[in-house]
Amino acid sequence: MIDKDKIQEAMQTAIDYSRADQTEVLVSSTSTALTRFSNNYIHQNVAETNVSVSIRAVVDKKLGYASTNRLDAGSIKEMVDKAIEIAERRPPDPDFVSLPEPRPIELRDLVSKLTVNYSPKERALDLQRLIGAVAARNLTAAGAYSTGYSTLGLANSLGVNAVETISEAELKTVVMSETSSAFSSAIAVNVNDIDVERIALEAEETAIRGQNPAELKPGFYTVILSPYAVADMVSFMAFAGFSALALQEGRSFMKDKFGQQITDPRVSIWDDAYDPHTIGLTFDFEGVPKEKVVFIENGIAKSVCYDSYTANKEGKKSTGHALPAPNPYGPMPLNLIMAPGDSSLAEMIRTSEQAILVSRFHYTNMEDPIRTTLTGMTRDGTFLIEDGKVKMPIKNLRFTQSIVEALSKIDAISLDRQLKEGILGPAYVPWIKVSEFNFTGVTQF
């Protein structure tokens, strides 16, 4: 285990040694173990401990970067010299002002010793319960179960200094029959919060219900989207438009929309690393404490998130959303939350004359960030609802749909929310019911 004292020592070595105008050092250490399974058998156990040290040097507004995976003083000093050499050979960045000044950081307690020390045998016993439940219904399970922790340290020559550790357990499974598949997952700080029986039950019931799917013609349908699909959709929305860099480069759908109604009034989306339902660092990759940022409030475009670079260009303060340097994507929200509604999945189904229930999206890609046009496939359980009941499973459909337009046609939002993995990390989101969702193609499975 690479402890916090060693990380502090490595950061201080880089800061003390550097002759650059400004210096930033980021130390990241991880220790994770993973159990993989398929066809109802565990076939692999792996464990990895790693560390990386990244240096950002500033010389006359010129920026240089270098990194190593060694913690000894000689290797760190060598990387500092390389970062300075690279900076000296690069042209100045006229928009760079300064690395951030230190601010107070309130750390969260996000470490479970049980998760940190969880053994391969304990993971195997958990999977034995999952696989046993699935196999009893003539289904097969595959997936991965990981436990471990990561520690991030960030310091700069202006006095920023922060170190934080997070433990994390995650179980993902795909359960299959001859003609169907289903997905279920959970993520938690404490491995005891991974409900293996619930994961098994969710996947096996969807897999059994999804057998022998029929084909449905593409077109515009009302859809009920699971939290898996909503997390995917909201994450792509954030990637396309919630970053100050996207706004400054004119490629954000939020451009010229602040103060305007852009979605249904029931839609509010924000980022908050301190929300107890999320898992994440309380400071960003520049050591700036994360602030709660509301992007859409009651359907009205409100704000975007900033790192120090984009904030300085507008004379603003960083909101604490920097990614590791060098970073071509700009600041990003990593703890997305969508406001709940007052409905439920059962109520959404009961009130649907005709709708499609989507368990999950797959292979999603952004076609047009200005229009937030997303394309992808349904997967792991797609069902036709008629007259208030789930009528039958249907083959997967391709969709091509603007996210903003979909969130403007909300029929209902569930009170229940779940933490599900998105492309920017876990997002805490509800079920939603949307009208006129555009399906543009069919599949053979």
Side-chain angles (χ1 to χ4, degrees):
M1 180 172 180
I2 299 166
D3 61 30
K4 292 182 177 181
D5 289 340
K6 285 186 177 179
I7 289 176
Q8 286 284 9
E9 182 182 343
M11 294 193 300
Q12 198 59 50
T13 296
I15 298 296
D16 291 344
Y17 177 73
S18 178
R19 57 181 173 80
D21 297 340
Q22 295 182 353
T23 303
E24 177 186 86
V25 54
L26 185 157
V27 182
S28 174
S29 75
T30 59
S31 180
T32 58
L34 177 74
T35 300
R36 291 193 176 98
F37 57 102
S38 66
N39 294 320
N40 289 348
Y41 290 96
I42 291 172
H43 65 89
Q44 187 178 47
N45 272 299
V46 295
E48 179 184 18
T49 298
N50 202 358
V51 63
S52 66
V53 181
S54 299
I55 308 292
R56 175 161 58 159
V58 184
V59 180
D60 295 331
K61 282 184 169 285
K62 296 178 289 188
L63 305 174
Y65 310 91
S67 62
T68 178
N69 63 350
R70 299 177 66 92
L71 270 184
D72 62 279
S75 297
I76 291 171
K77 291 177 180 178
E78 183 182 355
M79 287 305 105
V80 171
D81 287 337
K82 283 186 178 296
I84 293 173
E85 180 185 356
I86 291 168
E88 290 173 336
R89 293 174 183 273
R90 295 187 68 195
D93 184 341
D95 290 325
F96 178 82
V97 176
S98 173
L99 296 176
E101 298 278 352
R103 292 191 223 164
I105 298 172
E106 182 180 349
L107 300 178
R108 293 176 64 185
D109 181 8
L110 292 172
V111 179
S112 159
K113 289 185 179 178
L114 182 65
T115 305
V116 170
N117 298 315
Y118 218 56
S119 68
K121 181 178 180 180
E122 289 170 307
R123 290 194 302 277
L125 289 172
D126 288 346
L127 292 178
Q128 185 179 44
R129 289 166 21 226
L130 184 149
I131 291 171
V134 166
R137 303 183 77 173
N138 294 319
L139 302 168
T140 58
Y145 189 16
S146 64
T147 52
Y149 71 96
S150 59
T151 301
L152 186 82
L154 199 298
N156 73 27
S157 54
L158 301 180
V160 167
N161 187 302
V163 181
E164 190 167 36
T165 299
I166 296 176
S167 62
E168 191 171 288
E170 185 173 24
L171 174 56
K172 299 179 181 178
T173 186
V174 173
V175 171
M176 302 188 70
S177 72
E178 291 292 330
T179 59
S180 66
S181 67
F183 178 84
S184 186
S185 71
I187 184 170
V189 168
N190 188 327
V191 69
N192 268 353
D193 292 332
I194 301 289
D195 189 339
V196 176
E197 280 71 22
R198 185 199 62 76
I199 291 172
L201 184 64
E202 178 184 60
E204 67 189 55
E205 287 191 344
T206 303
I208 288 173
R209 195 170 55 180
Q211 293 179 99
N212 304 310
E215 187 169 312
L216 186 71
K217 291 182 179 179
F220 290 91
Y221 291 90
T222 294
V223 293
I224 298 173
L225 302 178
S226 76
Y228 295 109
V230 176
D232 207 23
M233 196 165 70
V234 171
S235 295
F236 269 100
M237 187 182 198
F239 185 78
F242 291 163
S243 164
L245 184 63
L247 186 72
Q248 292 168 359
E249 293 179 346
R251 53 183 172 82
S252 167
F253 67 90
M254 302 278 274
K255 186 175 184 293
D256 302 325
K257 298 288 179 60
F258 293 115
Q260 298 180 25
Q261 192 86 37
I262 62 171
T263 69
D264 185 278
R266 288 169 288 182
V267 173
S268 293
I269 300 171
W270 63 91
D271 182 87
D272 185 5
Y274 288 92
D275 188 289
H277 298 100
T278 67
I279 303 171
L281 293 166
T282 56
F283 57 87
D284 70 3
F285 291 90
E286 292 183 315
V288 176
K290 291 187 176 181
E291 297 179 3
K292 179 180 178 179
V293 178
V294 179
F295 305 113
I296 298 174
E297 186 173 47
N298 300 325
I300 297 173
K302 300 292 289 187
S303 187
V304 293
C305 60
Y306 289 85
D307 55 14
S308 67
Y309 185 87
T310 53
N312 287 332
K313 286 178 73 174
E314 298 182 29
K316 294 184 175 180
K317 187 177 70 171
S318 170
T319 58
H321 290 85
L323 297 183
N327 167 30
Y329 302 106
M332 286 290 166
L334 305 181
N335 300 99
L336 287 164
I337 299 171
M338 184 172 175
D342 57 4
S343 186
S344 66
L345 173 60
E347 179 71 7
M348 292 179 189
I349 293 173
R350 189 186 66 78
T351 56
S352 295
E353 183 177 341
Q354 184 183 61
I356 293 174
L357 175 62
V358 176
S359 300
R360 193 185 177 208
F361 287 155
H362 170 67
Y363 202 52
T364 42
N365 284 287
M366 182 65 72
E367 277 193 353
D368 183 345
I370 298 296
R371 291 179 46 81
T372 62
T373 304
L374 192 66
T375 187
M377 314 282 289
T378 67
R379 182 128 174 177
D380 298 327
T382 308
F383 301 91
L384 179 65
I385 297 168
E386 286 188 344
D387 301 324
K389 296 181 180 178
V390 177
K391 183 179 180 181
M392 62 180 181
I394 57 175
K395 293 182 179 179
N396 290 307
L397 297 162
R398 170 167 288 281
F399 65 90
T400 304
Q401 173 66 53
S402 161
I403 301 170
V404 171
E405 288 180 6
L407 295 180
S408 300
K409 298 176 180 175
I410 292 282
D411 284 346
I413 300 174
S414 72
L415 178 63
D416 172 52
R417 290 180 292 174
Q418 299 173 17
L419 188 68
K420 296 301 179 188
E421 194 72 31
I423 62 167
L424 298 176
Y428 188 55
V429 295
W431 291 80
I432 64 173
K433 184 176 177 181
V434 175
S435 62
E436 299 179 47
F437 199 86
N438 186 20
F439 290 103
T440 52
V442 296
T443 71
Q444 297 302 309
F445 59 95

